[in-house]
Amino acid sequence: MSTFSDRLSRAVAANGSLLCVGLDPVPERLPAGLARDASGVLEFNRRLVEATADLVCCFKPNLAFYAALGAGGWDVLAATIEAVPDPVPVVVDAKCGDIGPVAGRWAHAIFTELGADAVTVNPYMGSDAVRPFTRHADRGVFLVCLTSNPGAADFEAAAVEGGDRLWERVARRALEWNAEHGNCGLVVGATRAESMAGLRRLAPELPFLVPGVGAQGGDLAGSVAGGLRSDGAGLLINASRGVMHASEGADFAEAARAEADRLRREINRVRGVAQSG
């Protein structure tokens, strides 16, 4: 059985990349010449995928941007996922967080109906919210742990019983859930680079999905240096708007490729420095 970890490792090796490109389209921001509707979004996504698929380790569409398209949004997301070539996996960023049958339906929708390779899950309702996803042993589950937004301080950084901060407790539980099928990862914002090394020590083998590079002003160098696994991988460094909107003109796909390649090269430069050190 091919697992998410297998597919991700193949993409990292084949493309020499730890770059994840987010596909979060807004019809009003589509380049000139594309229809400002679901059909235009699909064309935009397909051209971005075609332009960058050999430069990335994965793609990450956020479910909300497709729900906002209305009745046809689900079909656009499914067609976008279908357009991604092997071996590049797709992580659907849904931050699911319900329990029991509802979580099971979300897992079925994302893994079986959409065919996504992995999903983001909010773990704050505990194992009841997580295991309906992790029981799909061939798919990946990235648990929200330490995020980029300022409001993360409200809960994620709070101290809990035993002296841990809440994000540390999430990481420890993720290790327990991961022991069942080896398919868990953590969402760790690039603006939290100062905590990245500590989190890597706590979870030395888990993959980290790292949003916040680019428009959110995350620390690319600090995230790579602190978050690399001992094998030089283990990071999915996400960039969305900076790649998607590298140009607002007819050359948007070419500009997206150029920006993705620049980011890939920069990540690999820092990666090389970190490994040599």
Side-chain angles (χ1 to χ4, degrees):
M1 177 180 65
S2 174
T3 66
F4 169 72
S5 179
D6 294 334
R7 296 188 289 277
L8 178 63
S9 294
R10 287 200 301 270
V12 169
N15 293 342
S17 181
L18 301 181
L19 175 65
C20 169
V21 167
L23 298 173
D24 304 340
V26 177
E28 294 77 17
R29 288 205 64 183
L30 292 180
L34 296 181
R36 302 293 176 93
D37 58 17
S39 67
V41 165
L42 181 56
E43 182 180 353
F44 180 66
N45 283 357
R46 282 174 168 164
R47 290 179 63 183
L48 287 176
V49 167
E50 182 179 10
T52 61
D54 62 333
L55 300 174
V56 305
C57 68
C58 69
F59 289 102
K60 184 182 73 65
N62 188 302
L63 183 60
F65 289 85
Y66 299 87
L69 294 175
W74 190 263
D75 291 337
V76 171
L77 179 53
T80 296
I81 293 171
E82 187 176 359
V84 175
D86 291 334
V88 179
V90 176
V91 179
V92 169
D93 193 354
K95 298 183 180 70
C96 301
D98 215 320
I99 60 173
V102 177
R105 288 292 83 195
W106 272 117
H108 176 84
I110 291 169
F111 293 150
T112 303
E113 297 300 326
L114 285 177
D117 299 279
V119 67
T120 59
V121 170
N122 189 321
Y124 292 104
M125 291 179 75
S127 59
D128 296 338
V130 174
R131 285 203 169 96
F133 296 91
T134 59
R135 68 168 54 108
H136 293 260
D138 61 332
R139 309 301 170 104
V141 181
F142 286 91
L143 304 167
V144 176
C145 183
L146 184 61
T147 54
S148 298
N149 59 302
D154 292 345
F155 299 109
E156 294 172 7
V160 295
E161 184 180 359
D164 280 345
R165 285 161 291 182
L166 185 55
W167 63 264
E168 292 173 306
R169 183 67 57 85
V170 169
R172 294 184 197 280
R173 288 292 286 145
L175 292 172
E176 297 176 20
W177 291 322
N178 187 65
E180 297 174 4
H181 298 295
N183 60 344
C184 288
L186 299 174
V187 178
V188 187
T191 60
R192 306 298 178 183
E194 73 282 357
S195 301
M196 191 78 70
L199 192 52
R200 177 53 74 199
R201 286 191 296 271
L202 185 60
E205 302 301 325
L206 297 189
F208 294 172
L209 174 61
V210 185
V213 169
Q216 294 185 49
D219 180 358
L220 174 60
S223 296
V224 174
L228 277 179
R229 286 192 314 225
S230 59
D231 64 357
L235 294 175
L236 295 73
I237 306 291
N238 183 76
S240 298
R241 284 170 284 176
V243 174
M244 291 169 53
H245 302 301
S247 171
E248 303 292 341
D251 65 340
F252 71 90
E254 293 83 356
R257 178 175 180 82
E259 178 60 11
D261 191 41
R262 185 193 70 79
L263 283 169
R264 181 181 70 100
R265 291 174 184 272
E266 179 60 17
I267 291 167
N268 284 340
R269 184 190 68 78
V270 179
R271 187 181 177 192
V273 171
Q275 289 181 281
S276 65

